[in-house]
Amino acid sequence: MRQRSPHRTGWTLVLPLLVFTLVTFLAPIGFMLWKSVYDPEVAGLLGQTRQALAKWQTSTGLPGPEGFDALSRDLRDLTGDGRVSQLALRLNRERSGMRQLIEVTADAIAEYDRPLLEIDPRWGDPDTWVLLKRMTQPLTARYFLSAVDLQQTPQGSIVRQDESRRIYVYLFGRTILVASVVTAVCIILGYPFAYALATARPRMQRLLFFIVMLPFWTSLLVRTTAWIVLLQRRGVLNEILVAMNIVSERSRLELIYNLSGTLIVMTHVLLPFFVLPLYAVMKGIPKQYVRAGKSLGAGPVRVFLRIYLPMTLPGVLAGAALVFILSLGYYVTPALVGGRTGQLISNQIAFHVQTSLNWGLAAALGSILLVIVVVLTMLLSRVTQRGVL
Amino acid sequence: MSISRLARATGLCVLGLGIPSSFAAESLTIASFGGQYTASQRQAHYEPFSKETGVDIKSVDYNGGLAELVAQVRSGSVSWDVVDVEMQDLDRGCADGLFEKVDIDALPAGADKRAAKDDFLDGALQPCGVGSVVWSNVIAVNEPAFQDAKPQTIEDFFDVERFPGKRGLPKRPNALLEWALMADGVAPGDVYATLSSEEGVDRAFRKLDTIKDQAVFWETGAQMIQLLVDGEVAMSTAYNGRVQGAISDEGKPLRILWDRQIWNADYYAVVKGTHAKKEADAFVRYATGTVPLAAQTGFIAYGPVRRSAEALINPAKAANLPTAKANFRHALAFNSKWWTDHGEAISERYASWLAR
Amino acid sequence: MLNAAVKNRPPSGATFEHAVVLQNVVKSYDGTTQVVKGVDLSVRSGEFLTILGPSGSGKTSLLMMLAGFEQPSDGAIIIGGRDVSRQPAHKRNIGMVFQQYALFPHLTVAQNLAFPLEMRRMGRREIDDRVGWALNLVKLEGLGARRPAQLSGGQQQRIAVARALIFEPQLVLMDEPLGALDKQLRQQMQDEIARLHHELRPTIIYVTHDQGEAISLSDRVAVFEGGKISQIDPPTALYNAPRNDFVAGFIGENNRIPARIISHGPPSRLAVSGRAIVSALSVDIAPTETHACIMIRPERLRRVAHLCQLPNTIDVVVSEVSYHGDSYRLRASLDDGIDVITRIPNDGTQSIPDIGESILLGWSTEDARAFAGGVSATIR
């Protein structure tokens, strides 16, 4: 018997995990990326129209009669299949009123077979046809444009979304801001805590571990309810402050259902993700480094700044990166306690996946978030590699 | 599975008067909005149905929207058999092929022998769903928040100077924009015409701007009640049934402001591709019968969609229904067609307004 | 109490010659058991003193107190004429070499060496000069830009030694500095430390459990046992004239022959294996007819052809012969089963006995030392 090459054995060992990752992770991400630029729904419904409009230059006004004919034929076919409402709803998502136009037109064609222009004057508007031409192209940039508050005018130029409809750039900004603040607070609160954890006696250590792991062991709903009870305007904290005359009845603190609610609760939930990697790093630093520093003449402050802090930096970076990246994707907590001002980009993604069913836009927003995370991760790994160890 | 197929194939299911005597499937899964609403369905619809047919009903809570259904139907693994949906989702789901078609002729006649077609309220019978309750969007007032003057009208809801206090608002714009226009002086009959123009929408949002600082937003009915009960908001947009429940069952100091209520209906729809279509259809026919619909008003203050059910309702309860005469004076019917046409654009704008 | 008293007067018996003086230093972690039980010790300036002892003997605790990482429970530590018992480590000006090197992994070699100088706020130029000098000193020029992880174990330890010397501390502590190195490197490093001590003459207190290192490096060795100094002497005295059987057993290989005291000397006379009467120098006094133990170094136990060749002889049977290149090592048994070890140089002058052969071993009286008591269990 010939021996298996070690190379092949290696592959066999990682294959199950590879397949698992491929199926559960890479494939969905690939699907999402694809979905954000590929939308064949209208092209599939209006096959003939698509062909007929292929050669039409949008700058030349209305398309030729073959375009009108093709659309009539497509609508008649769809009426037969009962798929007019699907087309109507899909186009309506791009422009309000299209549902009504398509349904009226399809009904009229089915009954009298009249020319489109007689059925509704909107078919004389080149913009309607531009929309159809764009929508029948399966490959599209419109989701990515929407995701950064841009739109394409019927004339083809790319302009910013109307002031009253801009939202995503603003929310991306807020998301990054929130993630940064949460990360910063986690560092400030978590560093001393991790140190205490790493240096505590066993009994104290168990207690501290319990405290830091508590959010992991509590269900999301219980945790959130607890925060609401604690933080709301008539909650425990405010009652105490009012009773102690620190704040007045009129000026109770708004700690929840706004940005501060999102910040407080996210910090609480994500703190373990910062503390645990840092704790692991701190635990791995032998006492003798600090001793060496002292013996070489460094006082406590300088030992900390010059030796302990730099040596724990990989843990700080790892923990901070974890918290930051998780923050970028948080949406359940902001949805529950964030109120209006505490909503993040992920809430919009969830909205488009679950409620508006605009999966293309959700995919585009998700892809942008993914790119931000990947870029940050790469930057971070470069810093860690160059920096320490 | 194979036995149930065999049973169906050999026609072992015997149906009598629309109420089947034996079924292949042992259970149905029904998705609804949870809380007190589902409790009313369980008591008035699920349990009696199970008793009569032996089919167990598993109740699942969801939050409206079609996402889960799309996922189930597209992936071919349908785990919900029947869903309680709002009009807008029903329309859209029907167009997207998420629901089975309704056989209107198979629906039982009313208790007064009126044919189903004539017994149901207008709009309660849809190609893909059968109406069950009329419910209403109302304003709920937290009474202790107002010691002197009490808010009475929709204008008062938008007047934070005379009636200071936080306002609970929904995360979806449905009904809210209508109220904003009516509070700004638009007559109920002109609301949707006004909203159809860009200026009308601007006008509604300008009105919303006046209470934005005081707004607290809720996503689910349960959250809305919690905000009111905890005193976090002084008034909130609300579903009348939930508020009535908190008042009569739990004695909470809340009050319903019926002025300019915007009423709507919920529907039972059978999910496309369910493995228990026969049982699901039987359930829908049963639950939308006169007696179960009348019974439901005993558990939640939502009105029945069958005219024949009115005669069977306890008069004390009837006064709290949206359909009661006194409550219905300034009512506006929710126009789900309009929302299907404009919902996408309005939701985007509302989301943008909300975020900033 | 004691400290306050000591501070105000010059330490007794200490002169300025003495870089380090320990006075009755006691350490207890729990208040009842003493790990260090009253140590008095003076180290001369420029001296290389080794603290030798098995693990658990209290030598590490003593080192921690010297370095300032622990405080003595009682007694005083005087370094450079000043009582530093309560002074924190970073103010003591002591260089320390750790077993695991303890080079800062996030700093380069040069930055590691510069660290103590920066702590002393030395100018940049002077720091650079000194770092160059130190790298030169340990023959690692050109490695200044590397990180510790890029160096071999031996190189790392040389940098660690250089770092402990670079700021000219008044005392250098070395805590088992060769413990992490393999055998060959250990010998090289030992030579290196000896060379550095010879060149720079720092005062060094060196802690180890390896008697080989202790003997070859030190001016004096303090043998630690049970929290106390068992004997402190130059290596030769320690080797040739151990003051008790612990020291005798701990330093070098030793034969232990049980015996019965017949008369006190000098030299004392003892009976071995019930028959042979031999003489030895007695170290401590015990009544006659009590048990004693005779210690003879293997190299001082010689094979003799007949009884008169040396004053003391015993009959043994060879049980094991092993070849060691420069010598043969013989294990032989007395007739009551006691084993002794001897070496026969491989110089061609002597024949090598076979296993099972009866031979005669003898020694000069001054090479044998008798200690009261039986063969103690603590001796290897």
Side-chain angles (χ1 to χ4, degrees):
Chain A
M1 280 282 279
R2 213 160 53 87
Q3 275 252 289
R4 257 179 200 218
S5 77
H7 189 70
R8 185 145 32 114
T9 315
W11 273 109
T12 318
L13 290 175
V14 298
L15 199 64
L17 180 62
L18 213 63
V19 170
F20 181 78
T21 316
L22 202 72
V23 170
T24 61
F25 189 65
L26 293 177
I29 285 182
F31 177 72
M32 179 186 79
L33 289 172
W34 182 231
K35 195 96 188 162
S36 64
V37 292
Y38 183 71
D39 178 14
E41 190 177 0
V42 177
L45 292 167
L46 297 178
Q48 302 169 75
T49 313
R50 182 187 174 204
Q51 282 187 335
L53 294 182
K55 278 184 232 112
W56 170 51
Q57 297 296 310
T58 51
S59 51
T60 58
L62 286 171
E66 71 281 358
F68 284 76
D69 285 351
L71 183 64
S72 301
R73 267 179 278 129
D74 272 332
L75 286 178
R76 197 174 302 123
D77 293 351
L78 288 177
T79 312
D81 297 353
R83 289 198 292 169
V84 172
S85 353
Q86 191 190 342
L87 175 70
L89 283 173
R90 182 66 192 83
L91 290 177
N92 196 70
R93 185 187 284 172
E94 302 306 316
R95 189 178 300 164
S96 295
M98 283 304 281
R99 185 191 69 88
Q100 192 254 349
L101 175 62
I102 292 289
E103 285 189 344
V104 165
T105 308
D107 285 352
I109 289 172
E111 280 178 44
Y112 321 108
D113 200 8
R114 286 194 320 195
L116 295 177
L117 276 169
E118 283 180 31
I119 297 169
D120 198 300
R122 277 176 281 180
W123 292 116
D125 182 355
D127 287 0
T128 312
W129 292 94
V130 171
L131 179 71
L132 281 186
K133 185 176 163 79
R134 278 191 200 145
M135 291 300 291
T136 50
Q137 285 160 354
L139 273 181
T140 174
R142 90 180 80 94
Y143 292 126
F144 272 102
L145 290 177
S146 302
V148 289
D149 291 338
L150 297 175
Q151 61 174 345
Q152 196 176 17
T153 62
Q155 290 72 40
S157 54
I158 288 170
V159 296
R160 290 188 73 185
Q161 189 68 266
D162 299 341
E163 166 69 34
S164 66
R165 293 183 198 283
R166 280 177 213 159
I167 171 170
Y168 302 116
V169 172
Y170 179 81
L171 280 184
F172 271 118
R174 183 195 281 167
T175 304
I176 289 172
L177 181 77
V178 164
S180 309
V181 172
V182 168
T183 309
V185 176
C186 276
I187 292 173
I188 293 167
L189 296 178
Y191 196 95
F193 192 89
Y195 182 77
L197 200 60
T199 51
R201 287 163 194 278
R203 246 180 84 177
M204 188 65 179
Q205 199 177 45
R206 273 200 296 278
L207 179 73
L208 293 179
F209 252 115
F210 178 75
I211 292 172
V212 79
M213 296 302 284
L214 206 56
F216 277 171
W217 296 331
T218 338
S219 86
L220 182 80
L221 235 49
V222 172
R223 208 161 59 205
T224 310
T225 312
W227 280 115
I228 291 172
V229 169
L230 196 66
L231 296 178
Q232 60 186 355
R233 292 188 76 242
R234 307 208 159 265
V236 176
L237 198 64
N238 265 311
E239 293 296 341
I240 292 174
L241 291 176
V242 169
M244 293 171 69
N245 277 325
I246 294 173
V247 300
S248 74
E249 182 64 44
R250 285 260 148 212
S251 57
R252 284 168 177 262
L253 302 177
E254 310 266 352
L255 295 170
I256 202 164
Y257 304 126
N258 55 20
L259 189 59
S260 64
T262 296
L263 288 173
I264 292 171
V265 175
M266 274 173 72
T267 303
H268 179 235
V269 177
L270 291 173
L271 199 57
F273 292 97
F274 178 79
V275 169
L276 295 181
L278 182 58
Y279 162 76
V281 168
M282 284 178 169
K283 202 74 187 162
I285 296 177
K287 258 190 195 161
Q288 55 169 344
Y289 288 109
V290 169
R291 287 184 166 165
K294 284 184 187 165
S295 79
L296 295 170
V301 175
R302 286 200 284 183
V303 165
F304 177 77
L305 290 179
R306 295 282 310 268
I307 297 165
Y308 197 75
L309 186 63
M311 287 183 76
T312 52
L313 214 53
V316 174
L317 287 175
L322 211 54
V323 169
F324 191 85
I325 288 169
L326 286 171
S327 305
L328 287 181
Y330 246 61
Y331 80 95
V332 180
T333 305
L336 293 174
V337 300
R340 186 174 68 79
T341 51
Q343 300 300 302
L344 305 179
I345 194 71
S346 317
N347 297 99
Q348 279 301 310
I349 297 178
F351 172 77
H352 286 303
V353 170
Q354 293 172 353
T355 311
S356 78
L357 303 188
N358 192 347
W359 289 5
L361 181 54
L365 291 169
S367 303
I368 292 174
L369 202 56
L370 183 72
V371 167
I372 295 176
V373 169
V374 167
V375 167
L376 279 171
T377 315
M378 273 161 44
L379 276 180
L380 188 84
S381 74
R382 185 166 297 178
V383 169
T384 11
Q385 266 168 15
R386 195 183 301 164
V388 218
L389 297 175
Chain B
M1 181 63 196
S2 63
I3 291 178
S4 79
R5 268 205 194 141
L6 185 73
R8 256 182 254 176
T10 54
L12 278 177
C13 309
V14 182
L15 299 174
L17 278 174
I19 295 181
S21 52
S22 85
F23 280 117
E26 286 173 354
S27 70
L28 279 177
T29 302
I30 302 181
S32 183
F33 290 83
Q36 206 197 348
Y37 180 56
T38 294
S40 76
Q41 291 174 310
R42 187 178 297 122
Q43 286 165 291
H45 303 168
Y46 303 175
E47 285 170 4
F49 179 74
S50 293
K51 217 180 229 174
E52 279 196 48
T53 61
V55 176
D56 271 351
I57 289 179
K58 274 189 231 140
S59 168
V60 177
D61 290 353
Y62 87 124
N63 229 334
L66 295 171
E68 281 115 315
L69 275 176
V70 171
Q72 288 183 24
V73 173
R74 300 256 162 95
S75 68
S77 62
V78 173
S79 57
W80 296 353
D81 304 304
V82 177
V83 218
D84 183 299
V85 284
E86 292 178 13
M87 179 75 179
Q88 241 183 300
D89 288 338
L90 183 71
D91 267 0
R92 211 154 121 191
C94 197
D96 281 356
L98 300 178
F99 300 125
E100 300 281 357
K101 293 276 186 281
V102 175
D103 180 3
I104 292 174
D105 297 330
L107 293 171
D112 53 3
K113 306 280 188 255
R114 244 190 291 190
K117 250 187 282 189
D118 307 320
D119 196 15
F120 278 88
L121 297 175
D122 299 342
L125 293 176
Q126 294 288 331
C128 289
V130 182
S132 61
V133 291
V134 170
W135 56 274
S136 196
N137 294 288
V138 294
I139 303 299
V141 180
N142 192 15
E143 287 288 71
F146 302 100
Q147 297 303 338
D148 310 321
K150 306 275 189 191
Q152 301 294 345
T153 63
I154 191 68
E155 284 86 353
D156 297 346
F157 181 76
F158 283 88
D159 190 342
V160 285
E161 305 229 318
R162 273 182 55 218
F163 299 97
K166 293 276 173 192
R167 301 293 196 265
L169 296 184
K171 277 200 184 151
R172 292 156 70 181
N174 313 22
L176 184 61
L177 290 191
E178 287 93 319
W179 273 324
L181 283 186
M182 289 190 281
D184 207 36
V186 176
D190 299 336
V191 164
Y192 287 105
T194 312
L195 271 182
S196 296
S197 70
E198 194 71 22
E199 302 82 64
V201 177
D202 288 345
R203 184 173 169 188
F205 273 100
R206 271 200 306 278
K207 190 68 181 174
L208 288 179
D209 282 337
T210 62
I211 56 168
K212 191 174 185 179
D213 287 346
Q214 294 299 312
V216 175
F217 290 80
W218 54 265
E219 200 154 21
T220 66
Q223 273 178 354
M224 171 264 291
I225 289 292
Q226 198 62 44
L227 287 173
L228 282 164
V229 167
D230 288 347
E232 288 297 301
V233 294
M235 286 192 252
S236 177
T237 69
Y239 308 129
N240 75 294
R242 301 257 186 187
V243 182
Q244 191 61 49
I247 297 169
S248 43
D249 301 349
E250 296 163 48
K252 301 293 183 197
L254 304 178
R255 179 166 57 91
I256 292 174
L257 215 150
W258 289 105
D259 183 46
R260 303 297 193 277
Q261 61 154 307
I262 300 173
W263 64 273
N264 201 343
D266 263 23
Y267 297 78
Y268 279 123
V270 176
V271 180
K272 190 102 168 188
T274 164
H275 297 295
K277 176 161 189 318
K278 196 156 287 183
E279 293 80 358
D281 282 341
F283 171 77
V284 173
R285 285 196 289 272
Y286 174 84
T288 58
T290 305
V291 177
L293 286 184
Q296 193 178 6
T297 60
F299 305 108
I300 194 160
Y302 290 156
V305 294
R306 273 187 191 254
R307 296 185 174 96
S308 62
E310 275 162 31
L312 306 180
I313 298 172
N314 172 353
K317 300 260 185 190
N320 294 328
L321 300 182
T323 42
K325 283 228 161 50
N327 302 339
F328 212 66
R329 250 180 312 172
H330 298 292
L332 174 72
F334 182 77
N335 187 340
S336 62
K337 276 271 184 289
W338 186 90
W339 278 99
T340 310
D341 279 349
H342 300 91
E344 203 80 40
I346 296 287
S347 293
E348 261 178 40
R349 179 153 177 194
Y350 187 67
S352 169
W353 177 81
L354 204 67
R356 289 188 287 173
Chain C
M1 280 279 278
L2 182 66
N3 276 314
V6 192
K7 252 177 208 163
N8 296 331
R9 61 182 166 82
S12 61
T15 69
F16 286 109
E17 281 276 287
H18 288 121
V20 180
V21 176
L22 302 187
Q23 288 177 335
N24 188 34
V25 169
V26 173
K27 180 68 190 177
S28 172
Y29 291 98
D30 56 6
T32 49
T33 359
Q34 293 184 341
V35 187
V36 175
K37 301 174 180 169
V39 167
D40 291 291
L41 179 68
S42 304
V43 185
R44 285 188 306 277
S45 194
E47 185 176 10
F48 193 122
L49 180 107
T50 296
I51 297 176
L52 175 69
S55 53
S57 61
K59 62 183 194 306
T60 303
S61 297
L62 190 71
L63 189 80
M64 291 294 114
M65 287 188 279
L66 276 165
F69 303 138
E70 302 278 358
Q71 291 198 344
S73 309
D74 201 353
I77 297 172
I78 294 122
I79 297 176
R82 282 175 44 222
D83 184 346
V84 297
S85 308
R86 296 283 175 266
Q87 206 172 39
H90 65 277
K91 292 191 177 152
R92 290 198 182 182
N93 200 26
I94 293 175
M96 183 145 178
V97 181
F98 294 84
Q99 185 174 355
Q100 301 291 340
Y101 327 133
L103 295 176
F104 305 130
H106 59 290
L107 301 180
T108 63
V109 165
Q111 285 167 336
N112 262 284
L113 291 172
F115 187 86
L117 307 179
E118 284 166 13
M119 292 304 114
R120 285 161 179 76
R121 306 197 187 284
M122 207 173 263
R124 194 69 250 172
R125 181 170 298 170
E126 196 180 351
I127 289 178
D128 290 344
D129 285 352
R130 286 249 204 156
V131 168
W133 167 83
L135 283 170
N136 191 40
L137 185 72
V138 293
K139 303 187 177 116
L140 290 174
E141 304 92 334
L143 298 188
R146 300 244 184 120
R147 291 203 184 269
Q150 295 168 302
L151 303 182
S152 72
Q155 289 173 326
Q156 289 187 50
Q157 193 56 297
R158 270 142 82 187
I159 296 297
V161 171
R163 188 178 64 176
L165 293 170
I166 195 168
F167 58 101
E168 294 172 349
Q170 45 184 341
L171 172 65
V172 177
L173 300 175
M174 299 193 180
D175 183 12
E176 310 241 9
L178 311 182
L181 302 175
D182 61 37
K183 202 177 170 191
Q184 213 175 350
L185 268 176
R186 212 178 296 171
Q187 187 56 50
Q188 283 178 21
M189 220 26 236
Q190 203 173 307
D191 296 345
E192 184 83 14
I193 290 172
R195 177 179 67 82
L196 290 172
H197 183 245
H198 189 77
E199 278 179 25
L200 304 173
R201 282 278 148 203
T203 310
I204 295 179
I205 296 182
Y206 185 103
V207 168
T208 183
H209 65 266
D210 184 308
Q211 37 108 355
E213 287 170 24
I215 287 170
S216 61
L217 283 169
S218 320
D219 297 323
R220 280 193 303 159
V221 178
V223 180
F224 243 64
E225 189 209 356
K228 280 198 281 213
I229 295 177
S230 206
Q231 180 173 358
I232 176 160
D233 268 315
T236 45
L238 218 54
Y239 191 84
N240 295 328
R243 202 169 292 157
N244 54 45
D245 64 345
F246 177 80
V247 175
F250 199 73
I251 310 268
E253 202 170 27
N254 231 330
N255 287 306
R256 289 162 297 274
I257 304 167
R260 192 163 41 80
I261 303 171
I262 294 172
S263 70
H264 290 293
S268 303
R269 307 222 16 106
L270 304 101
V272 174
S273 290
R275 286 185 316 203
I277 306 296
V278 297
S279 341
L281 301 175
S282 30
V283 174
D284 38 16
I285 304 301
T288 54
E289 291 304 316
T290 59
H291 287 286
C293 172
I294 303 172
M295 297 236 181
I296 311 164
R297 297 281 176 196
E299 66 273 17
R300 300 292 167 99
L301 198 59
R302 268 167 283 178
R303 185 182 180 192
V304 291
H306 45 84
L307 285 172
C308 313
Q309 210 170 326
L310 280 168
N312 311 293
T313 55
I314 47 176
D315 287 312
V316 293
V317 177
V318 177
S319 60
E320 204 181 296
V321 179
S322 53
Y323 177 56
H324 285 259
D326 57 345
S327 66
Y328 287 88
R329 185 170 186 273
L330 257 61
R331 179 182 292 274
S333 311
L334 277 74
D335 52 7
D336 55 1
I338 302 293
D339 275 4
V340 293
I341 307 287
T342 182
R343 290 201 190 90
I344 299 178
N346 186 16
D347 55 3
T349 59
Q350 293 184 58
S351 65
I352 307 306
D354 295 322
I355 292 173
E357 192 179 335
S358 286
I359 56 169
L360 214 50
L361 294 177
W363 64 89
S364 311
T365 301
E366 63 271 24
D367 289 338
R369 304 172 78 79
F371 298 97
V375 177
S376 106
T378 57
I379 299 171
R380 287 186 284 181

